Structure formats: C-alpha cells, structure tokens
Amino acid sequence: MMRYIKLVNFEINRFSKIYLSLLLITLVSQFSGVIIVTKSLLNDARDIMKEERLSEAAYITNYGGIDFNHIANSLLFVGPIALSAVALIFYIFLIWYRDWFGKNTFIYRLLMLPTSRLSIYLSKATSIFLMVLGLIAFQIIILPMENALFNSNVPEALLSEMSISTITIANPILSLIIPSTFTQFLISYGIGLMIMSILFTAIMFERSFRIKGFIMGLLYCGIAAVLFLAPVLMEIGNFYFYPNELFGLMLAIGIILTGLSVWLGAWLLKNRVTV
C-alpha cells in the first residue's frame, strides 16, 4: 500500500507544474471575466436606458435584471474549464507515453520496481482522478467568491441575485462538472472512470502489439462504446425500457466494462509489456 501511495504522489508531482498553471489560469481568467463582463453589461444597460430614456425599474421590466448567468456563459469563464478538461484528457495518454518516449526511457525503471505492475496501473489512474476532483473542488471554492464579487459590482436595482445551486443548475457545463446530487456525481464521474479505464486498456494494447495493438485498441474502444450505448440504441430501434430499467442496464454494463478494462489493461501490462 505504501508503495502504491508513493507512486500516486510521484505521478501527481510530475504533473504539478502544469496542474498549478491550470488552477492559476482558471483563477485569473474567471475573476477577470467577472470584472470585464460585468462592466460590459452595465455599460450596455446604461446605453439602453439613455437611448430609450428608461428608468432602472423600466429597464428591469423590459429587459430583465443582470444575473451571474451572463458571466458563467462567457468565454473567460468556461474557457479555463474546457482547457483543463482537454489537458487532463491529453494527460491520460501522456502519463504513459512520456515514460516510453522521454529522455531516459523511464518506463524501464518503473516496470522493474519491486512492486506489482497493477500498482503502477492503478497509481496512474488514481492520480488523474484525484487531479480531476481537485479541479472541481477548486471551482466549487472560487465560485461563491466570484458570485459575491459580481453581486458587489452590480447596482442593487439592476441585480438579479442567484444562489450557487441555481447557478450550477442553470449552466450546462457547471451542472455537468458539479452535479446537484450525489447520485448524479456517481453517474458522471463513474462514466469518466470507465472512459479512462477503456483508454488505458487501448494504450496497453498499442504498447503490447504496436501497430496491430493500435488497431486492437481502436476496436476495443469502439466495441466498448457500442456495448455501453446498446440499451439506448435498442430504444431508438423501438425496444422500450422503463427509465429505471435503462439506468440499471447502463449501470451494470458500465461496471462490467470498467472492471474488464482494468483487469485486461493490468494483465497486458504484466504479461505483454516487456522491458
């Protein structure tokens, strides 16, 4: 267990500089977005009131109040979230391939450590998942601060206050990364874990069999996608499931695919990937 924890810590430290950069970009970009977009919204509102000779009350009646949704839908707000998501998806591949193609071919030393190769596999998966949770936690922490800054900069007469829960529900991206219920959290991040395990297995196929393995990996991803979406595809083909049945089927298939992918990926790493 201690070796596994040390491997997780090692993997996180290797990505720490980029990870901290993502956090800093998110912090600066989103707070800048709050200030810049709020100023733009207020200038637009004042221009409209001046041109149409409206009072603040009349403006609210005609155009509605200014709420945080304007901020949450701006590029300065959602851009860092998208950048972080792309960076972590890219890191799913980088976390393996840099060990093979880095300056010192580090994979040889890593695979010869006196520990189970399953620990190496799980440590890489765990480090990515922890970094995802860290980014989400960071967003949850700064979101109330951003909302408070927005509320303080908008005149009370023009402000439509929103609670944090309302903001996350109203914004599609925030509702995806910050689920409103624990069940939704398990579903969203369970699917994320499944996808990561499938991609890890595809990488192990490629590392085990090279060109043939690349094709095998693509086929494995395609088959896994079809199997997971099979209940939905059956519904499109007029085979009806009750909502609970559909959820139960997809949950069972997701658990099976995740377990199979972890087992197969670890087996390939142990028996087919050589040093």
Side-chain angles (χ1 to χ4, degrees):
M1 178 59 71
M2 285 304 299
R3 288 174 179 172
Y4 163 73
I5 294 173
K6 287 180 180 178
L7 284 170
V8 172
N9 182 63
F10 172 74
E11 292 293 349
I12 291 175
N13 286 337
R14 294 175 83 190
F15 192 63
S16 59
K17 291 181 180 179
I18 298 175
Y19 188 68
L20 291 174
S21 297
L22 291 174
L23 294 178
L24 182 60
I25 290 170
T26 300
L27 181 70
V28 172
S29 180
Q30 290 190 352
F31 273 92
S32 298
V34 172
I35 296 170
I36 294 170
V37 175
T38 300
K39 185 176 180 181
S40 176
L41 290 169
L42 290 175
N43 288 337
D44 291 344
R46 293 188 184 103
D47 289 342
I48 291 173
M49 285 188 286
K50 184 176 180 181
E51 290 174 6
E52 300 183 14
R53 298 180 180 179
L54 298 175
S55 64
E56 290 179 339
Y59 176 86
I60 291 290
T61 301
N62 292 344
Y63 296 97
I66 299 175
D67 58 50
F68 195 84
N69 264 337
H70 295 90
I71 307 296
N73 291 321
S74 67
L75 181 61
L76 284 171
F77 190 91
V78 300
I81 298 175
L83 176 64
S84 298
V86 171
L88 287 174
I89 291 171
F90 177 71
Y91 193 62
I92 290 175
F93 298 92
L94 181 63
I95 200 172
W96 287 105
Y97 283 111
R98 72 174 172 189
D99 289 341
W100 265 279
F101 301 114
K103 185 182 297 183
N104 299 317
T105 319
F106 185 75
I107 191 65
Y108 298 139
R109 295 166 58 192
L110 192 62
L111 294 179
M112 295 181 71
L113 289 173
T115 186
S116 167
R117 291 191 180 183
L118 177 61
S119 296
I120 297 172
Y121 180 98
L122 293 178
S123 68
K124 291 181 181 293
T126 302
S127 64
I128 291 175
F129 190 64
L130 288 176
M131 285 186 281
V132 170
L133 294 181
L135 285 169
I136 302 309
F138 185 70
Q139 184 65 74
I140 292 173
I141 291 170
I142 66 174
L143 186 58
M145 302 177 191
E146 294 164 347
N147 191 37
L149 177 61
F150 171 77
N151 292 340
S152 67
N153 284 339
V154 178
E156 189 174 344
L158 297 176
L159 176 65
S160 291
E161 281 197 60
M162 299 177 69
S163 66
I164 299 302
S165 60
T166 303
I167 292 170
T168 56
I169 292 171
N171 185 271
I173 294 178
L174 288 177
S175 64
L176 178 64
I177 66 172
I178 309 175
S180 57
T181 66
F182 184 66
T183 300
Q184 289 178 335
F185 171 84
L186 291 178
I187 293 171
S188 296
Y189 290 95
I191 291 174
L193 278 174
M194 180 190 70
I195 293 172
M196 181 175 65
S197 66
I198 290 170
L199 290 176
F200 268 23
T201 302
I203 293 169
M204 290 301 100
F205 271 120
E206 191 278 329
R207 287 291 82 197
S208 299
F209 305 103
R210 300 304 190 265
I211 299 299
K212 291 181 180 179
F214 177 75
I215 297 171
M216 293 167 69
L218 289 178
L219 288 173
Y220 183 79
C221 290
I223 292 170
V226 170
L227 287 174
F228 182 68
L229 296 174
V232 177
L233 298 175
M234 291 171 69
E235 278 216 322
I236 294 174
N238 296 322
F239 194 97
Y240 181 76
F241 291 107
Y242 289 106
N244 288 341
E245 293 175 334
L246 182 62
F247 173 75
L249 278 172
M250 296 188 74
L251 177 63
I253 294 170
I255 292 172
I256 292 170
L257 284 173
T258 302
L260 175 64
S261 297
V262 171
W263 174 81
L264 184 56
W267 184 87
L268 288 168
L269 182 62
K270 179 181 179 181
N271 296 290
R272 301 299 305 187
V273 176
T274 61
V275 296

